[in-house]
Amino acid sequence: ETGVTQTPRHLVMGMTNKKSLKCEQHLGHNAMYWYKQSAKKPLELMFVYSLEERVENNSVPSRFSPECPNSSHLFLHLHTLQPEDSALYLCASSQALQGSYEQYFGPGTRLTVT
Amino acid sequence: GQQVMQIPQYQHVQEGEDFTTYCNSSTTLSNIQWYKQRPGGHPVFLIQLVKSGEVKKQKRLTFQFGEAKKNSSLHITATQTTDVGTYFCAGQGAQKLVFGQGTRLTINP
């Protein structure tokens, strides 16, 4: 499945580093999502974008900063992270935000904060 | 806010046994979706239920949507090792899709 791609697949960063996660969808969808997946919270919604506009920020700390330059691309900028931020970060897209549309997930970025 | 609870959190079965996971929403849903995540993989959409009381089948998998559109179940008949993974339900409310915590299925061959 190559509808939604994410890079990098694995990332190790120190607490003082700045890095970015990239997501690209090739499905012509209008909504994109960032999820955090960890043992404590299996699928935790972070951000939602619809037509490049952020429509939801689920009380995510400011050290996570999303960016959606167009409907095909979504970024998650990371800075001064904490070890508890280590998790699998999943990007997803759907045809639209409203309505009965399934979400297509990317393979995820496995992030380790040291 | 809208909450979706899923039980059990874990289930271990012998190959060939049946498996069921249950999903309950705090609010009435417009539809419910089911996803499967294989170990090391990402969630993949399985099916969507829209109508009250709807039942859908995919080979050995049977999905049900409750009459009140607040609960759902996934039943697997005669599990196989390929069924291993975590099964998530996701309830579509008025504003957004909310995922349950998932049921992790492991199978003893």
Side-chain angles (χ1 to χ4, degrees), chain A residues 37 42 56 100 102-103 106, chain B residues 31 35 37 42 45 96 101:
Chain A
Q37 187 171 51
E56 182 154 346
S100 304
E102 66 267 30
Q103 294 187 10
Chain B
N31 71 75
Y35 293 75
Q37 183 173 16
H42 57 276
F45 174 78
K96 59 184 179 181
Q101 306 97 309

Side-chain angles (χ1 to χ4, degrees), chain B residues 34-86:
Chain B
W34 285 91
Y35 293 75
K36 177 183 178 181
Q37 183 173 16
R38 295 181 185 273
H42 57 276
V44 175
F45 174 78
L46 292 176
I47 207 163
Q48 178 175 266
L49 305 170
V50 179
K51 299 177 183 177
S52 169
E54 188 171 14
V55 178
K56 286 188 176 181
K57 292 190 175 184
Q58 287 181 350
K59 298 183 181 179
R60 295 176 293 103
L61 278 62
T62 302
F63 304 84
Q64 293 188 341
F65 201 9
E67 294 290 339
K69 300 185 74 172
K70 294 181 71 174
N71 57 71
S72 180
S73 65
L74 158 59
H75 180 82
I76 303 178
T77 303
T79 55
Q80 300 175 359
T81 54
T82 53
D83 296 324
V84 164
T86 300

Side-chain angles (χ1 to χ4, degrees), chain A residues 59-74:
Chain A
S59 302
V60 180
S62 59
R63 57 185 183 270
F64 295 91
S65 175
E67 179 190 1
C68 188
N70 55 62
S71 60
S72 298
H73 293 86
L74 186 64

Side-chain angles (χ1 to χ4, degrees), chain B residues 23-44:
Chain B
C23 186
N24 290 285
S25 170
S26 58
T27 59
T28 302
L29 303 170
S30 59
N31 71 75
I32 195 152
Q33 301 174 8
W34 285 91
Y35 293 75
K36 177 183 178 181
Q37 183 173 16
R38 295 181 185 273
H42 57 276
V44 175

